[in-house]
Amino acid sequence: MTIAPPVVHTAPPAASSGGRSGSVTWMAWPAVVAFVAFGVVPLIGVLLLSFTSWNRLSQDIPFTGLDSWRTVLSDPQLPHALWVTFLIMALSWLFQTPISLLLGVFIAAQKRYRSVLAVLFFIPLLLSQAAISITYKALLDPNFGLGAGLGFEFLQQDWLGDSTLALCVVVFVVSWQFIPFHTLIYQGGIRQIPASMYEAAQIDGANRVRQFFSITLPQLKYTIITSSTLMVVGSLTFFDLIWVLTAGGPGDATRALAVDMYQRGFKADLMGPASAIAVILVLVGLALALGLRRLGGRDASASQLEGV
Amino acid sequence: MTTLMDKRDVSRTERAAPRKKRGLGLRHYNYLGGLGGWLWLIVVLLPIYWIVITSFKLQSDYYATNPLVPPSNPTLENYRFVLENDFVRYFVNSVIVTVGAVGPAVLVSFMAAYAIVRGSAASRFLRGVNGLFLMGLAIPLQAVIIPIYLLIIKLQMYDTLGAIILPSLAFAIPLSVLVLGNFVRDVPKELFESMRMDGATEWGTLWRLAFPLTRPALVTVTIYQGLTVWNGFILPLILTQTPEQRTLPLALWSFQGQYSVNIPAVLASVVLTTLPILTLYIIGRRQLLSGLTAGFSK
């Protein structure tokens, strides 16, 4: 899962005397070296590799210009992968946002049993995506899984064998894991809403539903944007889960961008095109993150600065 | 993964104070929310319940009995089978990778966070470093996995635990710096001043002042990054090859491929890989949850 670039807030200068800063600069070096070596250099590397036809079996990396890009951009697999990625993104947003929002409202209240629930809600976040996918794969088995146990006809389907259903399963399993996290974000956001607003609304005779739509939702605007950014940008990089659950199948029904990259690079030994896909992945992610930040508008950064 | 963008709620203390009053006027119980909350609890716990009971079933029972009914004659056979299949080795590998990556990552991040907070005002370099890590948050690991693979081969580290450790370490840094920086920034300037008056070096101040004051944040960041590395899948998948170097998530996956007919055994291995994390969560949950809400929505 990736992290969206956060709204940049300039750090308030804390150092006192200018001349002394030389003595702290070295402390930043180990972190910088480590991150440049495995974060920044590879980022440049992936762009360079997209202009080669490295096949990972040979030592030399032949430069082939735009060949990989031509291959990728003319391949009907790319629009498909983009479409699948978009579907997973949109559906998981639609599924996760209302549930996390409502659960957030629910557990934000000061009730003891609700904080116990919050603790249990968190469990899916602890499990590895490999473990979760393996579990759901077995759980959804048409003959021996949950469907057979509950006896509901509609649950006894070949969930992972049907294109549409497999995509829905991916969306559900992703949501199952990440709803707890977004619930936590919303819980935090809701607790920031001044109680006086609700009191005023109550005096005016607004009922609970009205309060939710007139106070809670508008006040959560930036929390919703934050949570959505994380969901949307994070969904670009779903790999573990899809790979273990469906391996991109059936056919290429769940072959999202990250899976497509892995297939091309590490299964088909075509590192050039795979790198081009990786570059596209980064660009789409950046565009989405910036776009969502724009949604927050000017007042977003204004209100974010006001507390600093 | 964080509410890093939520900078607006810094005035938490002043706003949080009157919060308790809320709810006084709400006389009726929130039935709808209650229903939804309990329903979601079932959605969360049902698969987990199913994993646990199935892992104690004989393979023949698995096919013959209702999946939701606990086994009539529970067996530890599946656990014995898994433990005999090198589970201990994978577990040790996972521990080495997690400790080897997260320990140094948190240490260097803490130093960098301290340097950024203390030195940014005077040093253009440190402001650049700050910007670098903010941008770094946006780089997804998956997108740079191919050059990392190439780099690891060139370093002749392919198929070693070090190959997993180095990138995991690097990718834990940006977020850690950001969170720890937010906490170091909260240390009152007067304390730094008085340390300086006493003739303490920056290194001494880092350890004797900033370290104890940011310890809760350090614990939270360590737990959080530990979880990420422990559950990591794509790095071991791409950077290792032999079973000797597998970590738990990868072992789980290959185990599933190998013994897909023996679902109870596969699920027993899921239980075994999850158990350490759940135990840690039960012990450190207060720290983790409060750290997540406080530190990450800072």
Side-chain angles (χ1 to χ4, degrees), chain A residues 2-3 15 56 110 113 119 126-127 176 181 202 223 230 237 304, chain B residues 1-2 5 8 19 26 29 43 118 137 140 142 149 231 274 281:
Chain A
T2 9
I3 296 149
R56 94 184 174 120
Q110 306 287 310
Y113 83 98
V119 167
L126 301 169
L127 313 189
W176 187 81
F181 178 71
Q202 234 153 26
T223 313
L230 295 172
T237 56
Q304 291 195 334
Chain B
M1 132 179 353
T2 63
M5 300 162 94
R8 75 203 154 81
R19 187 199 345 147
L26 308 172
Y29 183 78
V43 173
R118 294 284 287 150
L137 287 169
Q142 281 88 342
Y149 169 76
N231 285 336
T274 307
Y281 177 57

PDB file of all heavy atoms in Angstrom, chain A residues 2-3 15 56 110 113 119 126-127 176 181 202 223 230 237 304, chain B residues 1-2 5 8 19 26 29 43 118 137 140 142 149 231 274 281:
ATOM      1  N   THR A   2       0.506   2.176  -0.781  1.00  0.00           N
ATOM      2  CA  THR A   2       1.313   3.382  -0.842  1.00  0.00           C
ATOM      3  C   THR A   2       0.717   4.463   0.021  1.00  0.00           C
ATOM      4  O   THR A   2      -0.407   4.386   0.457  1.00  0.00           O
ATOM      5  CB  THR A   2       1.304   4.023  -2.231  1.00  0.00           C
ATOM      6  OG1 THR A   2       0.358   3.377  -2.974  1.00  0.00           O
ATOM      7  CG2 THR A   2       2.645   4.064  -2.798  1.00  0.00           C
ATOM      8  N   ILE A   3       1.512   5.460   0.136  1.00  0.00           N
ATOM      9  CA  ILE A   3       1.062   6.572   0.930  1.00  0.00           C
ATOM     10  C   ILE A   3       0.971   7.769   0.013  1.00  0.00           C
ATOM     11  O   ILE A   3       1.841   7.995  -0.813  1.00  0.00           O
ATOM     12  CB  ILE A   3       2.082   6.828   2.018  1.00  0.00           C
ATOM     13  CG1 ILE A   3       2.097   5.612   2.908  1.00  0.00           C
ATOM     14  CG2 ILE A   3       1.759   8.066   2.791  1.00  0.00           C
ATOM     15  CD1 ILE A   3       3.400   5.368   3.491  1.00  0.00           C
ATOM     16  N   ALA A  15      15.420  25.393  15.561  1.00  0.00           N
ATOM     17  CA  ALA A  15      16.809  25.600  15.980  1.00  0.00           C
ATOM     18  C   ALA A  15      17.018  27.054  16.387  1.00  0.00           C
ATOM     19  O   ALA A  15      16.400  27.964  15.849  1.00  0.00           O
ATOM     20  CB  ALA A  15      17.747  25.246  14.848  1.00  0.00           C
ATOM     21  N   ARG A  56      16.576  -9.947 -17.973  1.00  0.00           N
ATOM     22  CA  ARG A  56      17.007 -10.395 -16.647  1.00  0.00           C
ATOM     23  C   ARG A  56      17.811 -11.686 -16.663  1.00  0.00           C
ATOM     24  O   ARG A  56      18.346 -12.096 -15.652  1.00  0.00           O
ATOM     25  CB  ARG A  56      15.833 -10.489 -15.661  1.00  0.00           C
ATOM     26  CG  ARG A  56      15.155 -11.838 -15.501  1.00  0.00           C
ATOM     27  CD  ARG A  56      13.982 -11.680 -14.585  1.00  0.00           C
ATOM     28  NE  ARG A  56      13.217 -12.902 -14.500  1.00  0.00           N
ATOM     29  CZ  ARG A  56      12.985 -13.594 -13.384  1.00  0.00           C
ATOM     30  NH1 ARG A  56      13.466 -13.170 -12.250  1.00  0.00           N
ATOM     31  NH2 ARG A  56      12.278 -14.678 -13.403  1.00  0.00           N
ATOM     32  N   GLN A 110     -18.387   7.819  23.286  1.00  0.00           N
ATOM     33  CA  GLN A 110     -17.695   7.388  24.507  1.00  0.00           C
ATOM     34  C   GLN A 110     -18.476   6.275  25.207  1.00  0.00           C
ATOM     35  O   GLN A 110     -19.133   6.491  26.191  1.00  0.00           O
ATOM     36  CB  GLN A 110     -17.539   8.570  25.457  1.00  0.00           C
ATOM     37  CG  GLN A 110     -16.874   9.777  24.837  1.00  0.00           C
ATOM     38  CD  GLN A 110     -15.408   9.544  24.631  1.00  0.00           C
ATOM     39  OE1 GLN A 110     -14.707   9.128  25.539  1.00  0.00           O
ATOM     40  NE2 GLN A 110     -14.911   9.795  23.437  1.00  0.00           N
ATOM     41  N   TYR A 113     -18.237  -0.465  25.592  1.00  0.00           N
ATOM     42  CA  TYR A 113     -18.307  -1.643  24.725  1.00  0.00           C
ATOM     43  C   TYR A 113     -17.885  -1.314  23.294  1.00  0.00           C
ATOM     44  O   TYR A 113     -17.393  -2.153  22.575  1.00  0.00           O
ATOM     45  CB  TYR A 113     -19.714  -2.260  24.767  1.00  0.00           C
ATOM     46  CG  TYR A 113     -20.731  -1.629  23.856  1.00  0.00           C
ATOM     47  CD1 TYR A 113     -21.019  -2.182  22.613  1.00  0.00           C
ATOM     48  CD2 TYR A 113     -21.409  -0.461  24.236  1.00  0.00           C
ATOM     49  CE1 TYR A 113     -21.946  -1.606  21.778  1.00  0.00           C
ATOM     50  CE2 TYR A 113     -22.334   0.115  23.399  1.00  0.00           C
ATOM     51  CZ  TYR A 113     -22.606  -0.464  22.170  1.00  0.00           C
ATOM     52  OH  TYR A 113     -23.517   0.120  21.332  1.00  0.00           O
ATOM     53  N   VAL A 119     -11.319  -2.465  19.178  1.00  0.00           N
ATOM     54  CA  VAL A 119     -10.128  -3.309  19.295  1.00  0.00           C
ATOM     55  C   VAL A 119     -10.262  -4.539  18.398  1.00  0.00           C
ATOM     56  O   VAL A 119      -9.334  -4.919  17.695  1.00  0.00           O
ATOM     57  CB  VAL A 119      -9.932  -3.740  20.768  1.00  0.00           C
ATOM     58  CG1 VAL A 119      -8.907  -4.844  20.876  1.00  0.00           C
ATOM     59  CG2 VAL A 119      -9.532  -2.546  21.605  1.00  0.00           C
ATOM     60  N   LEU A 126      -3.971  -6.651  10.955  1.00  0.00           N
ATOM     61  CA  LEU A 126      -2.755  -7.278  11.463  1.00  0.00           C
ATOM     62  C   LEU A 126      -2.302  -8.438  10.586  1.00  0.00           C
ATOM     63  O   LEU A 126      -1.143  -8.803  10.574  1.00  0.00           O
ATOM     64  CB  LEU A 126      -2.989  -7.799  12.884  1.00  0.00           C
ATOM     65  CG  LEU A 126      -3.410  -6.766  13.915  1.00  0.00           C
ATOM     66  CD1 LEU A 126      -3.855  -7.452  15.191  1.00  0.00           C
ATOM     67  CD2 LEU A 126      -2.246  -5.838  14.213  1.00  0.00           C
ATOM     68  N   LEU A 127      -3.250  -9.042   9.884  1.00  0.00           N
ATOM     69  CA  LEU A 127      -2.915 -10.240   9.127  1.00  0.00           C
ATOM     70  C   LEU A 127      -2.225  -9.877   7.819  1.00  0.00           C
ATOM     71  O   LEU A 127      -2.507  -8.847   7.220  1.00  0.00           O
ATOM     72  CB  LEU A 127      -4.184 -11.040   8.818  1.00  0.00           C
ATOM     73  CG  LEU A 127      -5.161 -11.275   9.968  1.00  0.00           C
ATOM     74  CD1 LEU A 127      -6.233 -12.257   9.536  1.00  0.00           C
ATOM     75  CD2 LEU A 127      -4.445 -11.792  11.193  1.00  0.00           C
ATOM     76  N   TRP A 176     -12.316  -5.678   3.445  1.00  0.00           N
ATOM     77  CA  TRP A 176     -12.300  -6.383   4.732  1.00  0.00           C
ATOM     78  C   TRP A 176     -11.025  -6.032   5.489  1.00  0.00           C
ATOM     79  O   TRP A 176     -11.053  -5.778   6.678  1.00  0.00           O
ATOM     80  CB  TRP A 176     -12.377  -7.898   4.492  1.00  0.00           C
ATOM     81  CG  TRP A 176     -12.529  -8.704   5.729  1.00  0.00           C
ATOM     82  CD1 TRP A 176     -13.691  -8.928   6.417  1.00  0.00           C
ATOM     83  CD2 TRP A 176     -11.505  -9.404   6.447  1.00  0.00           C
ATOM     84  NE1 TRP A 176     -13.446  -9.728   7.502  1.00  0.00           N
ATOM     85  CE2 TRP A 176     -12.112 -10.034   7.548  1.00  0.00           C
ATOM     86  CE3 TRP A 176     -10.132  -9.576   6.257  1.00  0.00           C
ATOM     87  CZ2 TRP A 176     -11.408 -10.813   8.462  1.00  0.00           C
ATOM     88  CZ3 TRP A 176      -9.428 -10.344   7.164  1.00  0.00           C
ATOM     89  CH2 TRP A 176     -10.063 -10.956   8.252  1.00  0.00           C
ATOM     90  N   PHE A 181      -8.839   0.346   9.134  1.00  0.00           N
ATOM     91  CA  PHE A 181      -7.923   1.475   9.143  1.00  0.00           C
ATOM     92  C   PHE A 181      -8.647   2.783   8.900  1.00  0.00           C
ATOM     93  O   PHE A 181      -8.430   3.785   9.600  1.00  0.00           O
ATOM     94  CB  PHE A 181      -6.825   1.274   8.092  1.00  0.00           C
ATOM     95  CG  PHE A 181      -5.881   2.420   8.035  1.00  0.00           C
ATOM     96  CD1 PHE A 181      -4.986   2.625   9.065  1.00  0.00           C
ATOM     97  CD2 PHE A 181      -5.928   3.333   7.000  1.00  0.00           C
ATOM     98  CE1 PHE A 181      -4.127   3.701   9.047  1.00  0.00           C
ATOM     99  CE2 PHE A 181      -5.080   4.411   6.977  1.00  0.00           C
ATOM    100  CZ  PHE A 181      -4.182   4.594   7.993  1.00  0.00           C
ATOM    101  N   GLN A 202     -29.118  20.504  18.482  1.00  0.00           N
ATOM    102  CA  GLN A 202     -30.155  19.862  19.268  1.00  0.00           C
ATOM    103  C   GLN A 202     -31.180  20.878  19.763  1.00  0.00           C
ATOM    104  O   GLN A 202     -32.379  20.627  19.764  1.00  0.00           O
ATOM    105  CB  GLN A 202     -29.530  19.164  20.466  1.00  0.00           C
ATOM    106  CG  GLN A 202     -29.917  17.717  20.530  1.00  0.00           C
ATOM    107  CD  GLN A 202     -28.874  16.899  21.232  1.00  0.00           C
ATOM    108  OE1 GLN A 202     -28.133  17.409  22.066  1.00  0.00           O
ATOM    109  NE2 GLN A 202     -28.796  15.639  20.916  1.00  0.00           N
ATOM    110  N   THR A 223     -11.174  14.931   6.306  1.00  0.00           N
ATOM    111  CA  THR A 223     -10.915  13.544   6.686  1.00  0.00           C
ATOM    112  C   THR A 223     -11.306  12.623   5.538  1.00  0.00           C
ATOM    113  O   THR A 223     -10.605  11.662   5.224  1.00  0.00           O
ATOM    114  CB  THR A 223     -11.711  13.181   7.947  1.00  0.00           C
ATOM    115  OG1 THR A 223     -11.553  14.210   8.908  1.00  0.00           O
ATOM    116  CG2 THR A 223     -11.241  11.871   8.527  1.00  0.00           C
ATOM    117  N   LEU A 230      -5.779   7.992   0.422  1.00  0.00           N
ATOM    118  CA  LEU A 230      -5.062   6.786   0.808  1.00  0.00           C
ATOM    119  C   LEU A 230      -5.666   5.547   0.143  1.00  0.00           C
ATOM    120  O   LEU A 230      -4.956   4.673  -0.331  1.00  0.00           O
ATOM    121  CB  LEU A 230      -5.086   6.628   2.335  1.00  0.00           C
ATOM    122  CG  LEU A 230      -4.344   7.721   3.102  1.00  0.00           C
ATOM    123  CD1 LEU A 230      -4.583   7.591   4.590  1.00  0.00           C
ATOM    124  CD2 LEU A 230      -2.854   7.647   2.801  1.00  0.00           C
ATOM    125  N   THR A 237      -1.561  -0.149  -5.993  1.00  0.00           N
ATOM    126  CA  THR A 237      -0.435  -1.053  -5.765  1.00  0.00           C
ATOM    127  C   THR A 237      -0.854  -2.386  -5.162  1.00  0.00           C
ATOM    128  O   THR A 237      -0.004  -3.131  -4.699  1.00  0.00           O
ATOM    129  CB  THR A 237       0.598  -0.379  -4.848  1.00  0.00           C
ATOM    130  OG1 THR A 237      -0.060   0.002  -3.656  1.00  0.00           O
ATOM    131  CG2 THR A 237       1.202   0.821  -5.501  1.00  0.00           C
ATOM    132  N   GLN A 304      -5.331  23.813   7.429  1.00  0.00           N
ATOM    133  CA  GLN A 304      -4.333  22.921   7.976  1.00  0.00           C
ATOM    134  C   GLN A 304      -3.189  23.701   8.595  1.00  0.00           C
ATOM    135  O   GLN A 304      -2.496  23.214   9.471  1.00  0.00           O
ATOM    136  CB  GLN A 304      -3.798  22.006   6.885  1.00  0.00           C
ATOM    137  CG  GLN A 304      -4.871  21.027   6.460  1.00  0.00           C
ATOM    138  CD  GLN A 304      -4.336  19.902   5.667  1.00  0.00           C
ATOM    139  OE1 GLN A 304      -3.306  20.034   5.025  1.00  0.00           O
ATOM    140  NE2 GLN A 304      -5.008  18.784   5.702  1.00  0.00           N
TER     141      GLN A 304
ATOM    142  N   MET B   1      -2.222   5.515   4.424  1.00  0.00           N
ATOM    143  CA  MET B   1      -2.066   4.746   5.642  1.00  0.00           C
ATOM    144  C   MET B   1      -1.972   5.625   6.849  1.00  0.00           C
ATOM    145  O   MET B   1      -1.986   5.148   7.958  1.00  0.00           O
ATOM    146  CB  MET B   1      -0.872   3.867   5.368  1.00  0.00           C
ATOM    147  CG  MET B   1       0.232   3.694   6.252  1.00  0.00           C
ATOM    148  SD  MET B   1       1.374   2.528   5.501  1.00  0.00           S
ATOM    149  CE  MET B   1       0.578   1.916   4.086  1.00  0.00           C
ATOM    150  N   THR B   2      -1.897   6.878   6.600  1.00  0.00           N
ATOM    151  CA  THR B   2      -1.867   7.737   7.766  1.00  0.00           C
ATOM    152  C   THR B   2      -2.753   8.921   7.503  1.00  0.00           C
ATOM    153  O   THR B   2      -3.164   9.157   6.390  1.00  0.00           O
ATOM    154  CB  THR B   2      -0.474   8.298   8.006  1.00  0.00           C
ATOM    155  OG1 THR B   2      -0.174   9.093   6.889  1.00  0.00           O
ATOM    156  CG2 THR B   2       0.519   7.239   8.198  1.00  0.00           C
ATOM    157  N   MET B   5      -2.238  14.133   6.398  1.00  0.00           N
ATOM    158  CA  MET B   5      -2.722  15.389   5.841  1.00  0.00           C
ATOM    159  C   MET B   5      -3.586  16.141   6.846  1.00  0.00           C
ATOM    160  O   MET B   5      -3.923  17.276   6.642  1.00  0.00           O
ATOM    161  CB  MET B   5      -3.524  15.104   4.582  1.00  0.00           C
ATOM    162  CG  MET B   5      -2.688  14.396   3.545  1.00  0.00           C
ATOM    163  SD  MET B   5      -3.746  13.623   2.355  1.00  0.00           S
ATOM    164  CE  MET B   5      -3.785  14.907   1.139  1.00  0.00           C
ATOM    165  N   ARG B   8      -4.899  19.845  10.396  1.00  0.00           N
ATOM    166  CA  ARG B   8      -5.780  20.881  10.897  1.00  0.00           C
ATOM    167  C   ARG B   8      -6.203  20.681  12.339  1.00  0.00           C
ATOM    168  O   ARG B   8      -6.692  21.580  12.967  1.00  0.00           O
ATOM    169  CB  ARG B   8      -7.034  20.947  10.033  1.00  0.00           C
ATOM    170  CG  ARG B   8      -7.977  19.799  10.304  1.00  0.00           C
ATOM    171  CD  ARG B   8      -8.882  19.555   9.153  1.00  0.00           C
ATOM    172  NE  ARG B   8      -9.304  18.200   9.150  1.00  0.00           N
ATOM    173  CZ  ARG B   8     -10.284  17.729   9.901  1.00  0.00           C
ATOM    174  NH1 ARG B   8     -10.913  18.519  10.712  1.00  0.00           N
ATOM    175  NH2 ARG B   8     -10.612  16.476   9.848  1.00  0.00           N
ATOM    176  N   ARG B  19     -15.926  17.781  24.729  1.00  0.00           N
ATOM    177  CA  ARG B  19     -16.487  16.641  24.023  1.00  0.00           C
ATOM    178  C   ARG B  19     -17.402  15.811  24.917  1.00  0.00           C
ATOM    179  O   ARG B  19     -18.419  15.302  24.493  1.00  0.00           O
ATOM    180  CB  ARG B  19     -15.367  15.794  23.470  1.00  0.00           C
ATOM    181  CG  ARG B  19     -15.871  14.688  22.592  1.00  0.00           C
ATOM    182  CD  ARG B  19     -14.862  13.594  22.399  1.00  0.00           C
ATOM    183  NE  ARG B  19     -13.523  14.005  22.803  1.00  0.00           N
ATOM    184  CZ  ARG B  19     -12.661  13.182  23.328  1.00  0.00           C
ATOM    185  NH1 ARG B  19     -12.983  11.932  23.522  1.00  0.00           N
ATOM    186  NH2 ARG B  19     -11.464  13.595  23.678  1.00  0.00           N
ATOM    187  N   LEU B  26     -28.640  12.862  24.130  1.00  0.00           N
ATOM    188  CA  LEU B  26     -29.119  11.779  23.299  1.00  0.00           C
ATOM    189  C   LEU B  26     -29.736  10.716  24.188  1.00  0.00           C
ATOM    190  O   LEU B  26     -29.042   9.889  24.745  1.00  0.00           O
ATOM    191  CB  LEU B  26     -27.966  11.189  22.497  1.00  0.00           C
ATOM    192  CG  LEU B  26     -27.152  12.216  21.710  1.00  0.00           C
ATOM    193  CD1 LEU B  26     -25.924  11.568  21.124  1.00  0.00           C
ATOM    194  CD2 LEU B  26     -27.989  12.842  20.627  1.00  0.00           C
ATOM    195  N   TYR B  29     -31.218   5.108  22.336  1.00  0.00           N
ATOM    196  CA  TYR B  29     -30.096   4.288  21.933  1.00  0.00           C
ATOM    197  C   TYR B  29     -29.973   4.303  20.412  1.00  0.00           C
ATOM    198  O   TYR B  29     -30.959   4.359  19.694  1.00  0.00           O
ATOM    199  CB  TYR B  29     -30.315   2.861  22.435  1.00  0.00           C
ATOM    200  CG  TYR B  29     -29.181   1.941  22.134  1.00  0.00           C
ATOM    201  CD1 TYR B  29     -28.023   1.971  22.906  1.00  0.00           C
ATOM    202  CD2 TYR B  29     -29.265   1.039  21.083  1.00  0.00           C
ATOM    203  CE1 TYR B  29     -26.983   1.126  22.638  1.00  0.00           C
ATOM    204  CE2 TYR B  29     -28.219   0.188  20.808  1.00  0.00           C
ATOM    205  CZ  TYR B  29     -27.084   0.235  21.580  1.00  0.00           C
ATOM    206  OH  TYR B  29     -26.044  -0.597  21.304  1.00  0.00           O
ATOM    207  N   VAL B  43     -18.745  -9.992  10.451  1.00  0.00           N
ATOM    208  CA  VAL B  43     -17.995 -10.061   9.195  1.00  0.00           C
ATOM    209  C   VAL B  43     -16.488 -10.199   9.482  1.00  0.00           C
ATOM    210  O   VAL B  43     -15.770 -10.917   8.797  1.00  0.00           O
ATOM    211  CB  VAL B  43     -18.259  -8.794   8.343  1.00  0.00           C
ATOM    212  CG1 VAL B  43     -17.368  -8.769   7.109  1.00  0.00           C
ATOM    213  CG2 VAL B  43     -19.719  -8.733   7.932  1.00  0.00           C
ATOM    214  N   ARG B 118      15.836  20.264  14.412  1.00  0.00           N
ATOM    215  CA  ARG B 118      16.794  21.153  15.054  1.00  0.00           C
ATOM    216  C   ARG B 118      17.548  22.030  14.062  1.00  0.00           C
ATOM    217  O   ARG B 118      17.955  23.134  14.407  1.00  0.00           O
ATOM    218  CB  ARG B 118      17.813  20.335  15.865  1.00  0.00           C
ATOM    219  CG  ARG B 118      17.219  19.616  17.047  1.00  0.00           C
ATOM    220  CD  ARG B 118      16.947  20.553  18.200  1.00  0.00           C
ATOM    221  NE  ARG B 118      18.167  20.984  18.863  1.00  0.00           N
ATOM    222  CZ  ARG B 118      18.300  22.154  19.471  1.00  0.00           C
ATOM    223  NH1 ARG B 118      17.303  23.014  19.464  1.00  0.00           N
ATOM    224  NH2 ARG B 118      19.433  22.476  20.068  1.00  0.00           N
ATOM    225  N   LEU B 137       7.310   9.543   0.430  1.00  0.00           N
ATOM    226  CA  LEU B 137       6.069   8.889   0.848  1.00  0.00           C
ATOM    227  C   LEU B 137       5.235   8.456  -0.347  1.00  0.00           C
ATOM    228  O   LEU B 137       4.427   7.549  -0.257  1.00  0.00           O
ATOM    229  CB  LEU B 137       5.240   9.846   1.704  1.00  0.00           C
ATOM    230  CG  LEU B 137       5.738  10.126   3.111  1.00  0.00           C
ATOM    231  CD1 LEU B 137       4.962  11.266   3.709  1.00  0.00           C
ATOM    232  CD2 LEU B 137       5.597   8.888   3.966  1.00  0.00           C
ATOM    233  N   PRO B 140       5.686   4.220  -4.489  1.00  0.00           N
ATOM    234  CA  PRO B 140       5.249   2.881  -4.088  1.00  0.00           C
ATOM    235  C   PRO B 140       6.349   1.851  -4.334  1.00  0.00           C
ATOM    236  O   PRO B 140       7.031   1.890  -5.353  1.00  0.00           O
ATOM    237  CB  PRO B 140       4.034   2.621  -4.977  1.00  0.00           C
ATOM    238  CG  PRO B 140       4.118   3.574  -6.098  1.00  0.00           C
ATOM    239  CD  PRO B 140       5.135   4.620  -5.789  1.00  0.00           C
ATOM    240  N   GLN B 142       6.134  -1.232  -5.085  1.00  0.00           N
ATOM    241  CA  GLN B 142       5.910  -2.079  -6.256  1.00  0.00           C
ATOM    242  C   GLN B 142       6.465  -1.459  -7.526  1.00  0.00           C
ATOM    243  O   GLN B 142       6.946  -2.153  -8.405  1.00  0.00           O
ATOM    244  CB  GLN B 142       4.405  -2.308  -6.473  1.00  0.00           C
ATOM    245  CG  GLN B 142       3.807  -3.336  -5.575  1.00  0.00           C
ATOM    246  CD  GLN B 142       3.351  -2.716  -4.270  1.00  0.00           C
ATOM    247  OE1 GLN B 142       3.782  -1.611  -3.929  1.00  0.00           O
ATOM    248  NE2 GLN B 142       2.516  -3.415  -3.532  1.00  0.00           N
ATOM    249  N   TYR B 149      15.492  -5.091  -7.810  1.00  0.00           N
ATOM    250  CA  TYR B 149      15.905  -6.457  -8.145  1.00  0.00           C
ATOM    251  C   TYR B 149      17.276  -6.438  -8.850  1.00  0.00           C
ATOM    252  O   TYR B 149      18.187  -7.184  -8.502  1.00  0.00           O
ATOM    253  CB  TYR B 149      14.824  -7.073  -9.031  1.00  0.00           C
ATOM    254  CG  TYR B 149      15.161  -8.375  -9.685  1.00  0.00           C
ATOM    255  CD1 TYR B 149      15.155  -9.562  -8.962  1.00  0.00           C
ATOM    256  CD2 TYR B 149      15.474  -8.435 -11.044  1.00  0.00           C
ATOM    257  CE1 TYR B 149      15.453 -10.758  -9.573  1.00  0.00           C
ATOM    258  CE2 TYR B 149      15.774  -9.632 -11.665  1.00  0.00           C
ATOM    259  CZ  TYR B 149      15.770 -10.793 -10.927  1.00  0.00           C
ATOM    260  OH  TYR B 149      16.068 -11.986 -11.537  1.00  0.00           O
ATOM    261  N   ASN B 231       4.743  -8.646   7.466  1.00  0.00           N
ATOM    262  CA  ASN B 231       3.740  -9.110   6.508  1.00  0.00           C
ATOM    263  C   ASN B 231       4.163  -8.944   5.058  1.00  0.00           C
ATOM    264  O   ASN B 231       3.409  -9.258   4.153  1.00  0.00           O
ATOM    265  CB  ASN B 231       2.417  -8.371   6.739  1.00  0.00           C
ATOM    266  CG  ASN B 231       1.694  -8.874   7.973  1.00  0.00           C
ATOM    267  OD1 ASN B 231       1.917 -10.000   8.395  1.00  0.00           O
ATOM    268  ND2 ASN B 231       0.851  -8.036   8.549  1.00  0.00           N
ATOM    269  N   THR B 274      -0.014 -16.059  12.217  1.00  0.00           N
ATOM    270  CA  THR B 274      -0.746 -14.902  12.731  1.00  0.00           C
ATOM    271  C   THR B 274      -0.616 -14.759  14.239  1.00  0.00           C
ATOM    272  O   THR B 274      -0.666 -13.662  14.783  1.00  0.00           O
ATOM    273  CB  THR B 274      -2.232 -15.021  12.344  1.00  0.00           C
ATOM    274  OG1 THR B 274      -2.306 -15.233  10.935  1.00  0.00           O
ATOM    275  CG2 THR B 274      -2.990 -13.781  12.688  1.00  0.00           C
ATOM    276  N   TYR B 281      -0.242  -7.731  19.495  1.00  0.00           N
ATOM    277  CA  TYR B 281      -1.325  -6.747  19.449  1.00  0.00           C
ATOM    278  C   TYR B 281      -2.044  -6.690  20.791  1.00  0.00           C
ATOM    279  O   TYR B 281      -2.345  -5.612  21.307  1.00  0.00           O
ATOM    280  CB  TYR B 281      -2.300  -7.115  18.341  1.00  0.00           C
ATOM    281  CG  TYR B 281      -3.509  -6.204  18.258  1.00  0.00           C
ATOM    282  CD1 TYR B 281      -3.349  -4.828  18.089  1.00  0.00           C
ATOM    283  CD2 TYR B 281      -4.791  -6.703  18.341  1.00  0.00           C
ATOM    284  CE1 TYR B 281      -4.446  -3.995  18.017  1.00  0.00           C
ATOM    285  CE2 TYR B 281      -5.894  -5.880  18.261  1.00  0.00           C
ATOM    286  CZ  TYR B 281      -5.716  -4.526  18.101  1.00  0.00           C
ATOM    287  OH  TYR B 281      -6.800  -3.709  18.021  1.00  0.00           O
TER     288      TYR B 281
END
